[in-house]
Amino acid sequence: EVQLVESGGGSVQAGGSLRLSCTASGYANDFRCMAWFRLVPGKEREGVAIIYVREGYEHYSDSVKGRFTISQNNAKNTLYLQMSDLKPEDSAMYYCAADPTILCSFQWRGGTIEVEGPQSNIHWGQGTQVTVSA
């Protein structure tokens, strides 16, 4: 069974930094792509960053571009999200997601990141809370 476990969330003041981690287990091969999403109660889920595991291509939503960096450590089966210059509007539950299928379901649409196509193969973590105070 594939498991994704996030860590690294917490409370920080505006302008501060956090690094989220997502450790994957239970999957012998490389995922096709991995991504970070965030969710605020009452709002739609927002994709913030994608990485194509083998190619290393990265995409970011306009809301975080230039402040967040997605990266991976394949030897440790770990995905990271380095978040800098945090703003109160970055406060959310952050989720790691992975898609093992050839056609990645996480699509960058020129500024936004959407989940498209079959989603039954997507694996999600349990989330880690980030709170940014003004």
Side-chain angles (χ1 to χ4, degrees):
E1 180 185 359
V2 175
Q3 285 192 324
L4 303 176
V5 179
E6 300 97 333
S7 61
S11 298
V12 65
Q13 289 190 327
S17 300
L18 284 173
R19 189 177 80 158
L20 306 183
S21 299
C22 171
T23 301
S25 62
Y27 190 69
N29 301 316
D30 289 338
F31 293 110
R32 179 66 180 95
C33 56
M34 299 187 75
W36 288 97
F37 290 80
R38 62 188 183 187
L39 183 63
V40 176
K43 294 187 176 181
E44 289 190 1
R45 179 182 60 196
E46 179 188 12
V48 298
I50 309 172
I51 188 165
Y52 291 86
V53 174
R54 293 182 182 178
E55 298 89 343
Y57 299 151
E58 306 163 18
H59 295 292
Y60 299 90
S61 66
D62 284 347
S63 60
V64 307
K65 190 174 183 179
R67 300 187 298 119
F68 289 12
T69 302
I70 189 171
S71 62
Q72 58 187 350
N73 184 327
N74 290 338
K76 295 182 180 181
N77 295 326
T78 303
L79 181 74
Y80 302 101
L81 186 68
Q82 178 67 48
M83 306 186 294
S84 303
D85 190 21
L86 283 161
K87 304 176 181 181
E89 51 265 41
D90 293 319
S91 297
M93 184 72 80
Y94 283 74
Y95 295 89
C96 167
D99 189 345
T101 57
I102 293 176
L103 296 178
C104 177
S105 296
F106 313 133
Q107 295 295 319
W108 183 68
R109 294 302 180 197
T112 62
I113 294 170
E114 311 293 338
V115 181
E116 300 179 358
Q119 301 181 26
S120 58
N121 289 324
I122 297 174
H123 303 281
W124 295 90
Q126 84 289 347
T128 186
Q129 179 68 39
V130 172
T131 303
V132 184
S133 57

mmCIF file of all heavy atoms in Angstrom, residues 2 4 6 29 35 48-49 55 65 68 76 78 86 109 114:
data_model
loop_
_atom_site.group_PDB
_atom_site.id
_atom_site.type_symbol
_atom_site.label_atom_id
_atom_site.label_comp_id
_atom_site.label_asym_id
_atom_site.label_seq_id
_atom_site.Cartn_x
_atom_site.Cartn_y
_atom_site.Cartn_z
ATOM 1 N N VAL A 2 0.574 2.135 -0.925
ATOM 2 C CA VAL A 2 1.330 3.380 -1.010
ATOM 3 C C VAL A 2 0.927 4.305 0.141
ATOM 4 O O VAL A 2 -0.251 4.491 0.423
ATOM 5 C CB VAL A 2 1.067 4.088 -2.343
ATOM 6 C CG1 VAL A 2 1.766 5.440 -2.374
ATOM 7 C CG2 VAL A 2 1.534 3.221 -3.510
ATOM 8 N N LEU A 4 1.919 8.232 1.773
ATOM 9 C CA LEU A 4 2.613 9.515 1.706
ATOM 10 C C LEU A 4 2.440 10.189 3.053
ATOM 11 O O LEU A 4 1.301 10.364 3.512
ATOM 12 C CB LEU A 4 2.040 10.393 0.598
ATOM 13 C CG LEU A 4 2.044 9.822 -0.807
ATOM 14 C CD1 LEU A 4 1.338 10.781 -1.767
ATOM 15 C CD2 LEU A 4 3.460 9.564 -1.291
ATOM 16 N N GLU A 6 3.370 13.568 5.202
ATOM 17 C CA GLU A 6 3.919 14.918 5.218
ATOM 18 C C GLU A 6 4.397 15.293 6.615
ATOM 19 O O GLU A 6 3.891 14.794 7.619
ATOM 20 C CB GLU A 6 2.870 15.951 4.787
ATOM 21 C CG GLU A 6 2.304 15.769 3.403
ATOM 22 C CD GLU A 6 0.984 15.042 3.412
ATOM 23 O OE1 GLU A 6 0.751 14.253 4.349
ATOM 24 O OE2 GLU A 6 0.165 15.247 2.478
ATOM 25 N N ASN A 29 8.466 1.587 -7.806
ATOM 26 C CA ASN A 29 8.942 2.349 -8.970
ATOM 27 C C ASN A 29 8.856 3.844 -8.707
ATOM 28 O O ASN A 29 8.379 4.282 -7.664
ATOM 29 C CB ASN A 29 8.078 1.991 -10.189
ATOM 30 C CG ASN A 29 8.136 0.524 -10.495
ATOM 31 O OD1 ASN A 29 9.205 -0.079 -10.475
ATOM 32 N ND2 ASN A 29 6.991 -0.067 -10.773
ATOM 33 N N ALA A 35 3.186 16.316 -6.510
ATOM 34 C CA ALA A 35 2.736 17.699 -6.412
ATOM 35 C C ALA A 35 2.385 18.041 -4.968
ATOM 36 O O ALA A 35 2.202 17.166 -4.125
ATOM 37 C CB ALA A 35 1.508 17.917 -7.298
ATOM 38 N N VAL A 48 -0.113 24.002 -5.903
ATOM 39 C CA VAL A 48 0.923 25.028 -5.807
ATOM 40 C C VAL A 48 2.194 24.668 -6.552
ATOM 41 O O VAL A 48 2.902 25.550 -7.023
ATOM 42 C CB VAL A 48 1.241 25.389 -4.340
ATOM 43 C CG1 VAL A 48 0.021 25.971 -3.649
ATOM 44 C CG2 VAL A 48 1.769 24.205 -3.577
ATOM 45 N N ALA A 49 2.506 23.361 -6.681
ATOM 46 C CA ALA A 49 3.744 22.990 -7.356
ATOM 47 C C ALA A 49 3.664 21.557 -7.847
ATOM 48 O O ALA A 49 3.055 20.710 -7.196
ATOM 49 C CB ALA A 49 4.943 23.152 -6.426
ATOM 50 N N GLU A 55 12.162 13.585 -15.137
ATOM 51 C CA GLU A 55 12.719 14.709 -15.893
ATOM 52 C C GLU A 55 13.167 15.851 -14.985
ATOM 53 O O GLU A 55 14.044 16.634 -15.346
ATOM 54 C CB GLU A 55 11.682 15.237 -16.889
ATOM 55 C CG GLU A 55 11.250 14.216 -17.928
ATOM 56 C CD GLU A 55 10.077 13.387 -17.484
ATOM 57 O OE1 GLU A 55 9.797 13.362 -16.254
ATOM 58 O OE2 GLU A 55 9.429 12.757 -18.332
ATOM 59 N N LYS A 65 4.878 31.296 -7.114
ATOM 60 C CA LYS A 65 6.065 31.328 -7.966
ATOM 61 C C LYS A 65 7.056 32.361 -7.460
ATOM 62 O O LYS A 65 6.686 33.490 -7.149
ATOM 63 C CB LYS A 65 5.674 31.629 -9.409
ATOM 64 C CG LYS A 65 6.812 31.438 -10.397
ATOM 65 C CD LYS A 65 6.312 31.604 -11.822
ATOM 66 C CE LYS A 65 7.431 31.347 -12.818
ATOM 67 N NZ LYS A 65 6.958 31.481 -14.220
ATOM 68 N N PHE A 68 8.237 29.653 -3.506
ATOM 69 C CA PHE A 68 8.244 28.235 -3.135
ATOM 70 C C PHE A 68 9.117 27.465 -4.127
ATOM 71 O O PHE A 68 9.160 27.801 -5.319
ATOM 72 C CB PHE A 68 6.837 27.643 -3.186
ATOM 73 C CG PHE A 68 5.899 28.107 -2.095
ATOM 74 C CD1 PHE A 68 6.212 29.191 -1.280
ATOM 75 C CD2 PHE A 68 4.704 27.451 -1.889
ATOM 76 C CE1 PHE A 68 5.344 29.624 -0.292
ATOM 77 C CE2 PHE A 68 3.822 27.857 -0.893
ATOM 78 C CZ PHE A 68 4.144 28.946 -0.110
ATOM 79 N N LYS A 76 15.903 8.979 -0.928
ATOM 80 C CA LYS A 76 15.160 8.930 0.322
ATOM 81 C C LYS A 76 13.666 8.869 0.089
ATOM 82 O O LYS A 76 12.881 8.910 1.036
ATOM 83 C CB LYS A 76 15.488 10.163 1.172
ATOM 84 C CG LYS A 76 16.933 10.219 1.628
ATOM 85 C CD LYS A 76 17.161 11.447 2.517
ATOM 86 C CE LYS A 76 18.594 11.525 2.991
ATOM 87 N NZ LYS A 76 18.832 12.705 3.868
ATOM 88 N N THR A 78 11.707 11.070 -0.955
ATOM 89 C CA THR A 78 11.137 12.221 -0.267
ATOM 90 C C THR A 78 10.953 13.398 -1.210
ATOM 91 O O THR A 78 11.827 13.688 -2.033
ATOM 92 C CB THR A 78 12.035 12.632 0.909
ATOM 93 O OG1 THR A 78 12.184 11.508 1.791
ATOM 94 C CG2 THR A 78 11.426 13.785 1.683
ATOM 95 N N LEU A 86 6.856 33.797 3.416
ATOM 96 C CA LEU A 86 5.475 33.349 3.624
ATOM 97 C C LEU A 86 4.561 34.515 3.956
ATOM 98 O O LEU A 86 4.962 35.483 4.620
ATOM 99 C CB LEU A 86 5.438 32.300 4.740
ATOM 100 C CG LEU A 86 5.913 30.907 4.294
ATOM 101 C CD1 LEU A 86 6.285 30.053 5.493
ATOM 102 C CD2 LEU A 86 4.847 30.233 3.449
ATOM 103 N N ARG A 109 -1.489 24.776 -15.981
ATOM 104 C CA ARG A 109 -2.272 25.501 -16.975
ATOM 105 C C ARG A 109 -1.859 26.969 -17.001
ATOM 106 O O ARG A 109 -2.709 27.864 -16.921
ATOM 107 C CB ARG A 109 -3.768 25.333 -16.699
ATOM 108 C CG ARG A 109 -4.267 23.901 -16.871
ATOM 109 C CD ARG A 109 -4.005 23.391 -18.237
ATOM 110 N NE ARG A 109 -4.460 22.013 -18.444
ATOM 111 C CZ ARG A 109 -4.042 21.252 -19.447
ATOM 112 N NH1 ARG A 109 -3.133 21.701 -20.289
ATOM 113 N NH2 ARG A 109 -4.525 20.029 -19.595
ATOM 114 N N GLU A 114 -3.972 22.110 -12.008
ATOM 115 C CA GLU A 114 -5.265 21.452 -11.916
ATOM 116 C C GLU A 114 -5.088 19.933 -11.872
ATOM 117 O O GLU A 114 -4.095 19.406 -12.366
ATOM 118 C CB GLU A 114 -6.127 21.821 -13.134
ATOM 119 C CG GLU A 114 -6.198 23.307 -13.444
ATOM 120 C CD GLU A 114 -6.916 24.095 -12.376
ATOM 121 O OE1 GLU A 114 -7.704 23.489 -11.617
ATOM 122 O OE2 GLU A 114 -6.716 25.327 -12.301
#
